[in-house]
Every structure is written in structure tokens, then in C-alpha cells.
């Protein structure tokens, strides 16, 4: 798309990533200078990322924080909670509750591999569709990056992108039916 106009060649760069099977917003820089400025915001943890997730079970708390260190089990090639892992923190807010599942807004304070999936499973509420971590089989992983806030790399203006949730309160009843 960026190189159709016949102007100077643009080599876009991914500034961050999403875990496999997670949908949603992804920030891409048009050039190296912008990439560096945006990457520094991620390093300084000034970028706000919010996700929506449909999880197994009914979450009792309206909001909370999950703190559990994450590391890699080398022999299994698997990321999970381990005492000697790197510190990891996730904030959550309950957005809706069904009989057998809950809708959560998740905010990763740290950015560890598979952090949201690991933390939801750790509190006993794996993400629906994440069969590797105890979630039931579903048509997809019910995790979406829906909000991204950062500073414009040129003007320093606050920018927020938000897309409609792929999972809403209606999805709770659909999931309830599909999971039974």
C-alpha cells in the first residue's frame, strides 16, 4: 500500500506485536526515525494498550491486578508462571458476566510473551479458545487488542485508536450456548 504512489520507497516497521491468534490494533511505523521514537514510548511504558477478553468462569471481582512472574520452560518450549521468571503485572476490569464466562478488559502493565493468556489462566479464568491453557475450544481465541494510546512521534500530540469490540455482552450469551 505505502509504495504504490511511485514516491520514495517506504519500509514500514512493526513497533510492537500481538500474540499468535490475538486480533486487533497493531502500530506500524512508516520509517526508521518514527519507528525509533515509537519504540522508545513502548520501552518507557508510556503507551496504553487495552484488550478485551472472553474468559471461562465467572470473575467475582469488579477489578483487580494479577502479579505473577513469567518465564520459559525450555524443555517444553512453553511460557508460563514460574518463581524465577520475570515480573509481570496485568490489570483487569470486569465488563460483563454470564453463567459460565466473563468479559474482561485487560491492561498489560508489563509486556511479557503470552502474558494475558498466562495471567487469565493463572487466576482460574483461561481465555475462551485458548485450549493450550485450559480454555474451551471455540471458533477463535477470544482476545482482542481494542485500544492503543500513545504520543505522535512528530507533534507529541496524544493519540488514541479504538476499534469496536469483537466480543460484547451479546457474545457472552452466544459463548454460553456454544460452550454447552
Amino acid at each position: 500500500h505505502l509504495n504504490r504512489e511511485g514516491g520514495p520507497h517506504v519500509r514500514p516497521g512493526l513497533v510492537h506485536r500481538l500474540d499468535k491468534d490475538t486480533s486487533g490494533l497493531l502500530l506500524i511505523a512508516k520509517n526508521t526515525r518514527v519507528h525509533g521514537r515509537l519504540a522508545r514510548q513502548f520501552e518507557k511504558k508510556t503507551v496504553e494498550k487495552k484488550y478485551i477478553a472472553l474468559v471461562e468462569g465467572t470473575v467475582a471481582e469488579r477489578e483487580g491486578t494479577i502479579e505473577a512472574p513469567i518465564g520459559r520452560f525450555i524443555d517444553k518450549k512453553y511460557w508460563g508462571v514460574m518463581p524465577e521468571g520475570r515480573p509481570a503485572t496485568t490489570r483487569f476490569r470486569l465488563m460483563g458476566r454470564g453463567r459460565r464466562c466473563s468479559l474482561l478488559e485487560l491492561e498489560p502493565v508489563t509486556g511479557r510473551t503470552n502474558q494475558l493468556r498466562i495471567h487469565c489462566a493463572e487466576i482460574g479464568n483461561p481465555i475462551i479458545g485458548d485450549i493450550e491453557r485450559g480454555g474451551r475450544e471455540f471458533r477463535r481465541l477470544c482476545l482482542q487488542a481494542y485500544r492503543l494510546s500513545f504520543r505522535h512521534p512528530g507533534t507529541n500530540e496524544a493519540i488514541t485508536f479504538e476499534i469496536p469490540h469483537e466480543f460484547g455482552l451479546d457474545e457472552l450469551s452466544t459463548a454460553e450456548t456454544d460452550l454447552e
Side-chain angles (χ1 to χ4, degrees):
H1 171 76
L2 295 172
N3 292 308
R4 285 190 300 195
E5 303 298 318
H9 181 74
V10 177
R11 184 171 178 233
L14 293 175
V15 181
H16 69 116
R17 62 176 185 75
L18 296 176
D19 287 344
K20 182 180 178 190
D21 298 327
T22 301
S23 64
L25 294 169
L26 195 58
L27 190 56
I28 300 172
K30 288 185 178 181
N31 61 53
T32 305
R33 181 182 54 81
V34 169
H35 185 280
R37 289 181 179 176
L38 291 170
R40 277 190 291 285
Q41 290 184 52
F42 277 90
E43 289 168 12
K44 292 178 180 178
K45 306 212 182 301
T46 58
V47 175
E48 177 189 81
K49 299 180 289 183
K50 294 210 175 171
Y51 294 73
I52 193 89
L54 194 57
V55 300
E56 298 283 1
T58 53
V59 176
E61 301 86 14
R62 303 233 19 98
E63 58 185 38
T65 302
I66 307 164
E67 294 189 63
I70 295 174
R72 186 167 188 228
F73 295 91
I74 303 295
D75 53 329
K76 299 178 187 175
K77 296 181 181 179
Y78 184 79
W79 292 89
V81 171
M82 58 178 11
E84 65 275 11
R86 294 178 68 193
T89 304
T90 300
R91 293 186 193 113
F92 71 88
R93 184 172 62 91
L94 181 67
M95 298 181 73
R97 193 182 287 133
R99 288 179 294 117
R100 298 179 60 202
C101 58
S102 301
L103 188 65
L104 297 180
E105 178 184 74
L106 301 170
E107 181 181 3
V109 177
T110 52
R112 308 288 178 236
T113 300
N114 299 325
Q115 177 176 319
L116 301 177
R117 296 167 60 186
I118 292 167
H119 277 176
C120 286
E122 178 67 13
I123 63 168
N125 302 101
I127 297 172
I128 292 175
D130 188 4
I131 55 175
E132 191 174 278
R133 300 191 186 282
R136 296 184 195 193
E137 202 166 308
F138 199 60
R139 60 182 171 265
R140 58 159 298 176
L141 177 68
C142 294
L143 179 63
Q144 177 192 19
Y146 84 94
R147 183 184 172 118
L148 191 59
S149 298
F150 57 95
R151 293 278 176 183
H152 187 283
T155 66
N156 205 34
E157 174 189 359
I159 296 176
T160 297
F161 289 100
E162 188 168 320
I163 58 175
H165 305 163
E166 291 179 3
F167 320 108
L169 298 178
D170 292 342
E171 189 73 18
L172 281 171
S173 59
T174 301
E176 298 284 357
T177 304
D178 288 355
L179 296 175
E180 295 187 80

